[in-house]
Amino acid sequence: MNKSRPHMYVLLEQAYQVKIASNNLDETLWQQEHTVTSNVYGDRYLSTNAAIAATQNRKTQLELTKKIEATYSEANQALQAYTEEARNVEDLRVDLRRMEIRYKVGAVSKHEVNAFGLKLKQAEAERDIAALKFYAMQEKAEAMKKGFIS
């Protein structure tokens, strides 16, 4: 990757939609340059087509830029959610160990220990879901590097 340019611009260059829009613009400009018209209206028509293609090209780049930013933002949020869930699981494990010690000395019932164990299982499931969401966002970001931006 070129270090002198921001990562987003490299992704845009590789995006299929940008390549299509750029090809459309190139074709329109080629038509404008290589078409001989018999009147001023033909020249205006070709100029208008070129302006429309250029505008569509810029619009495509802006839309894809928004999608790229949204994807990286979602990936960052997914990572933060996973980190928080992992922290919750570790806190609940420590609390469960304390509950087991209290059970051994007779301060709490087995039912309370089992209920706390269930909370830990739920927290582990939430952590695993957060990990899957983060993985999905990573794969989406990898697909962008290959040219697919959705």
Side-chain angles (χ1 to χ4, degrees):
M1 179 170 54
N2 189 347
K3 298 286 183 188
S4 64
R5 299 176 53 208
H7 183 66
M8 188 173 311
Y9 294 113
V10 173
L11 290 177
L12 278 175
E13 283 179 355
Q14 295 172 352
Y16 299 129
Q17 295 95 328
V18 169
K19 289 178 182 179
I20 291 168
S22 179
N23 289 343
N24 289 342
L25 178 59
D26 291 344
E27 183 179 338
T28 303
L29 293 174
W30 184 90
Q31 285 175 352
Q32 183 181 14
E33 187 177 318
H34 291 86
T35 302
V36 178
T37 59
S38 60
N39 58 32
V40 71
Y41 298 112
D43 290 337
R44 286 184 189 165
Y45 171 78
L46 293 172
S47 295
T48 302
N49 278 348
I52 289 170
T55 301
Q56 288 175 336
N57 192 10
R58 284 191 299 271
K59 180 182 173 192
T60 299
Q61 288 181 4
L62 287 173
E63 288 172 353
L64 293 177
T65 299
K66 287 179 187 179
K67 289 179 181 180
I68 291 168
E69 289 173 351
T71 298
Y72 280 113
S73 176
E74 289 172 18
N76 188 31
Q77 290 171 356
L79 176 61
Q80 290 174 356
Y82 171 75
T83 304
E84 183 178 330
E85 292 298 335
R87 212 174 302 130
N88 288 342
V89 167
E90 289 307 312
D91 290 346
L92 285 172
R93 280 194 181 132
V94 169
D95 290 342
L96 180 61
R97 285 188 211 115
R98 290 179 183 157
M99 287 290 281
E100 289 171 344
I101 291 170
R102 288 184 191 129
Y103 170 72
K104 288 179 184 177
V105 296
V108 296
S109 69
K110 182 69 174 171
H111 174 72
E112 290 174 311
V113 173
N114 290 341
F116 211 84
L118 180 61
K119 282 184 185 179
L120 176 61
K121 293 287 183 193
Q122 289 172 335
E124 287 172 341
E126 290 175 8
R127 179 204 56 204
D128 293 344
I129 290 169
L132 288 172
K133 287 179 181 177
F134 177 63
Y135 175 75
M137 293 310 302
Q138 280 182 316
E139 288 302 311
K140 189 174 180 180
E142 286 299 316
M144 286 190 314
K145 291 177 184 176
K146 295 175 183 167
F148 181 73
I149 300 174
S150 65

